[in-house]
Amino acid sequence: MSALLEIRDLAVHFPRPRRWREPPAVVRAVDGVDLDLRRGESLGLVGESGSGKSTIARTLVGLQRATAGSIRLDGSELTGLDARGWFPFRRRVQMVFQDPYGSLDPRQTVLSILTEPMEIHALRKPRERRLHALELLEAVGLNPHYANRYPHEFSGGQRQRIAIARALTVHPELVICDEPVSALDVSVQAQVLNLLRELQERYDIAYLFISHDLAVVRSLCQRVSVLYLGRVVESAPRDEIFEAPRHPYTQALIAAVPDPTRAAAHPPVLLEGEPPSPTRPPPGCRFHPRCPARALVPDDRCAREEPPLRTDGAARWTCHLEPGSAPEA
Amino acid sequence: MITDQREMRSGEDRLDPAQVLADARRIRGAGHWRRARARLRESRTARWSQRFLAVAVLLSLLTPLLPLPSPTALDLRALPRPPVGPWVQIGGNGFRREYWELSAVDSALVDVREALFGRWQTGPYLGTDSKGRDLLSRILWGSRTSLLVALAATACSLLIGVTYGAFAGLIGGRTDRLMMRLVDVLYSLPFVFLVIFVLALLDAWLDEAGGASRELVFYALVGAVTWLTMARVVRGQVLALKNAEFVQAARAMGASTSHIVFRHLVPNLLSVVIVYLTLTIPSILLVEAFLSFLGLGIQPPRVSWGLLAADGVEAINPLHSFWWIVVWPAVAMGSTLLALNLLGDGVRDALDPRGRAADTDRPAPGPGA
Amino acid sequence: MALVEVRNLWVDFETPEATVHALDEVTFSIERGRTLGLVGESGCGKSVTARAMLGLLRSPPAVVRTGQVVVDGRDLMAMGEAELRGVRGREVALVPQDPTTAFHPLLTVGRQLTEVLEVHEGLRRRAADDRAAAALAEVGFGDARDVLHRYPHELSGGMRQRAMIAMALLCRPKLLIADEPTTALDVTLQAQILRLFRELQDRHGSAVLFVTHDLGVAAEVCDDVAVMYAGRIVESAPTRELFALALHPFTRGLLRARPRLDAPVDQGLAPIPGRHPELLERPPGCPFVERCEFALGPCHDQRPPFELWSLAGTARALHGRRVACFEARQVAAAQDPAVELRPQSAPGGRPA
């Protein structure tokens, strides 16, 4: 399979908002991230607030400039392109935002929302744009007869369907979903997740699926990358990451998911504290101040040295701990 | 909200898209403006204010056509004449074409009036002032000044205020800070002193040019203050809209700045601008009256409501009660301001996004990165 | 009698445009030392219930048709505002969803905690400080004295929520209401806060009403769970039992719609079709009927009673397993054909 998206050593830093009597500082939101995504595949990007997952999304759709590193879409380098150079790639990479209430213009009709991307990219004639928009409304499970209604006349789940339809109007190869279901109720969440899966098969789209909810990611993505403080700490195929997580942080994340069926046995690993600020990430392994496995590594190497990249089949992770020496989580 | 029974249906029974498109045209959504109009229609006060103002504006526009006495024709009797009911005296032939320098349109209208009614004019239904000038005529002619001031303020607000604010908000950064600092500076100048200062400065030059350009300066000054707040309001809105997710979405799609401005910013700004305008106009009318009262605004022989108020002060007399000189201009001005304010409130309520029930039940978004 | 009893609570919201029937015959009770989870989707009335129990329903637009909220023998619905102020924070305390807006930004955390004690218990500054520091230490602050002098913005999200919990527990309330206290937090912080709730519950033994949309969260902290739909409680049961066997189709749907870490992935999720109604009218039958796969004739026009059920041959209904569904037997059979359900009339409950 060919790689659709190749991200190498991506860094996105921005100046921290100036504060009184504090020296200027840089927020290292994304700091050396590698990601690979094949055509028609979905990659889950998991992490807590401040892990940099939304920044990666915004960088991929050109809302944020990369500080360093490379983003290659289908072999073409995107970083360093100016607005005009980037324009043709914007059609191929679309985004679905978290908030179905904020991402649709309240003054536009659904039809106008759906034809807008085609207008921008000068695809089709006006009448065909409208017909195509109706087709997509149907494809996402909405009644196309309501095309002249306004977003506020739809519920949250319906609006998210509209947002998904909008992303699909220009035949993208990659759709970036930034927490697309976290604002929805559970029953509706499942509807939208099933829809995303169905559309992927039908239109052969790749998803970069960003979420803080591991169970949601598991239900949709074939591969998962776990982010911590702007770095990928583990990347592996779904089954491996959920059945045999290798990085202590991944283990802790999975253990922290509340689950009605596991309620009897309380999670054994619980992280203490909160992620430090990305302005001053800890030296060595960024996870070491909270890591439950730190004591197992001799010489306190975790606090001093960058952890090595380890691979095992398709899984890769960065940790000082030798594979096999950690107690099973 | 739409309850869509077919939401989950399979795509098997496909519809003819062209037919759907035609059908969809008939199912119009309730857009922002449509809902606002409906809400405005529901408010009884707003409806009556609207009617009152429509009549007032119409009267004001047609004033030169009406068979009124000239507002400046003096009748030097000893005392002001009290109101005379039309049933007592409908009018008589006494019209003298005595005005200040009228604009071409107005003088053409007065020509028409003379052709229609000749020298016939109405009686002093609202009385006359201490110089024997007909009050009804003066109030109506004065309303034209108010209308002009309102127009000037609206134009300035729209042209300068909206452009300036939108520009500052869009560009952002240092340009924005500089532009807003200028607004702050202009804001902090006390308005009355500004007017006195400018008029004094230009006095010599104005005397040469005559009264007309003095008024021009007055309008320019009124305009100069009204756009400031509009600029601030618009800039704030633009800043908020710029970061709104739907604008970000458009940018991510590759939309150009002009596309974003006309497709997203303008339609979303419009209601704020309108609400703000309807609420500014009454205060601008007051500013005009205040300045004219002080003798800094409209100059005689022209008429304005502020000048009428100044005349009214002369009527305060311990011996004779010339109540009509005070009461009628006050009634005219008061009812206009009341109607404007009520309409402004109605418009604000109708356009206020907080009134939308659909947005109150939104669930809280989960944690994002 | 239970410490907290909500009886037959009917609440409408009347606005010029419409009347929303927010609560419809809500009845439940919480024993001392137990945690009841109130679970449902947005707009189902769970937050309205929480506000009613704090005496925070403002009228207008809220109209309490009937009902009582009895805390320790006193009916909050019958109290005046002055009396309620004495109850709020002292006998009934709230842990809000968003700790960021719940703190006053210009006062130190210590000042806000001690104020509660000064108002409700008339403590002097020094004594109040000691109590506040102790409360902060109890929720896991190692440097409690130091935290007293900090401003809310100097604390991180998780710390703010801990401080909020400390504040709620200051006066040893009889009833603690937690309104989605972990929704704004990341998973690892959520796990910390949930563990804290369990520990505090063991120690304090007050009754807790835990409002959440997440069944998983409810499973972690609650002894009993009440599921709400369209302003009604449709099912209530001890947590373990509810998750073992759902008797209401909505509960079953919620459990099946949730992506899980241990379910097979390939078959997709089982969403509940349609969406939550808007409560603009009271349906004559079951409010879930349009989304329900089990619905039959009577579901459309008869209101299903909130009945007590027992499982044949077991004593598992002893805690009071209630469900409002005509087709509960079918719902149970769809999950476990071996289960045999029997309506049970109990003292105080309605006959089936």
Side-chain angles (χ1 to χ4, degrees), chain A residues 47-49 53 155 158 185-191 193-194 197 212 214-216 218-220 238-239 242 249 252-254 256-264 266-267 270-275 290, chain C residues 40-42 156-159 186-192 194-195 198 213-217 219-220 240 243 254-255 257-275 291:
Chain A
E48 296 177 89
S49 334
K53 50 195 201 302
S155 68
Q158 290 172 326
D185 273 316
V186 179
S187 67
V188 179
Q189 199 173 39
Q191 294 171 6
L193 286 173
N194 280 351
R197 197 206 277 243
H212 68 279
L214 286 142
V216 164
R218 180 171 176 272
S219 72
L220 191 76
R238 168 179 48 209
D239 293 343
F242 285 102
Y249 178 62
L253 267 188
I254 292 175
V257 175
D259 194 328
T261 49
R262 274 194 330 197
H266 286 310
L270 247 189
L271 289 187
E272 295 303 329
E274 298 180 39
R290 299 173 78 196
Chain C
E41 300 190 291
S42 44
S156 65
M159 284 156 81
D186 278 313
V187 247
T188 58
L189 296 180
Q190 170 170 292
Q192 292 173 15
L194 293 182
R195 186 181 53 179
R198 283 196 304 271
H213 68 277
D214 190 336
L215 279 172
V217 168
E220 298 271 337
R240 202 81 59 78
F243 291 120
L254 269 190
L255 283 169
R258 230 184 95 80
R260 282 178 25 194
L261 286 179
D262 52 357
V265 187
D266 305 319
Q267 61 211 24
L269 302 164
I272 307 175
R275 56 201 186 77
R291 304 174 74 182

Side-chain angles (χ1 to χ4, degrees), chain B residues 58-237:
Chain B
L58 198 73
L59 270 181
S60 176
L61 288 175
L62 296 180
T63 301
L65 276 179
L66 303 177
L68 296 167
S70 156
T72 48
L74 300 179
D75 179 3
L76 296 172
R77 301 183 189 211
L79 288 176
R81 286 176 59 192
V84 174
W87 56 91
V88 178
Q89 181 196 346
I90 290 187
N93 287 329
F95 178 70
R96 276 173 295 150
R97 186 171 177 145
E98 245 179 72
Y99 294 96
W100 53 91
E101 221 171 282
L102 288 178
S103 68
V105 179
D106 282 354
S107 79
L109 287 175
V110 175
D111 287 342
V112 174
R113 178 233 186 269
E114 277 187 311
L116 283 175
F117 300 102
R119 280 170 41 74
W120 191 85
Q121 64 178 20
T122 55
Y125 302 152
L126 300 185
T128 66
D129 68 4
S130 52
K131 297 192 180 71
R133 295 172 294 196
D134 183 66
L135 260 183
L136 177 63
S137 172
R138 286 178 71 75
I139 288 174
L140 282 176
W141 279 91
S143 73
R144 293 167 67 81
T145 310
S146 301
L147 200 64
L148 209 60
V149 170
L151 278 179
T154 309
C156 280
S157 273
L158 283 180
L159 288 177
I160 310 178
V162 174
T163 329
Y164 192 93
F167 193 73
L170 262 184
I171 303 254
R174 188 171 298 167
T175 321
D176 175 35
R177 277 200 296 279
L178 258 170
M179 288 174 80
M180 283 302 120
R181 194 70 73 242
L182 179 69
V183 169
D184 291 341
V185 169
L186 290 177
Y187 237 119
S188 57
L189 298 176
F191 181 58
V192 175
F193 289 116
L194 181 76
V195 176
I196 297 174
F197 178 74
V198 171
L199 286 178
L201 207 68
L202 298 177
D203 211 19
W205 178 77
L206 283 174
D207 275 349
E208 278 169 38
S213 47
R214 197 187 175 101
E215 239 153 66
L216 220 62
V217 173
F218 168 76
Y219 285 121
L221 284 170
V222 169
V225 281
T226 46
W227 70 269
L228 294 174
T229 319
M230 181 62 89
R232 276 191 176 173
V233 170
V234 167
R235 170 188 172 261
Q237 283 289 313

Side-chain angles (χ1 to χ4, degrees), chain A residues 284-304:
Chain A
C285 172
R286 294 184 168 205
F287 184 55
H288 83 262
R290 299 173 78 196
C291 185
R294 182 185 172 190
L296 302 174
V297 177
D299 307 335
D300 206 17
R301 260 185 302 158
C302 299
R304 288 182 290 111

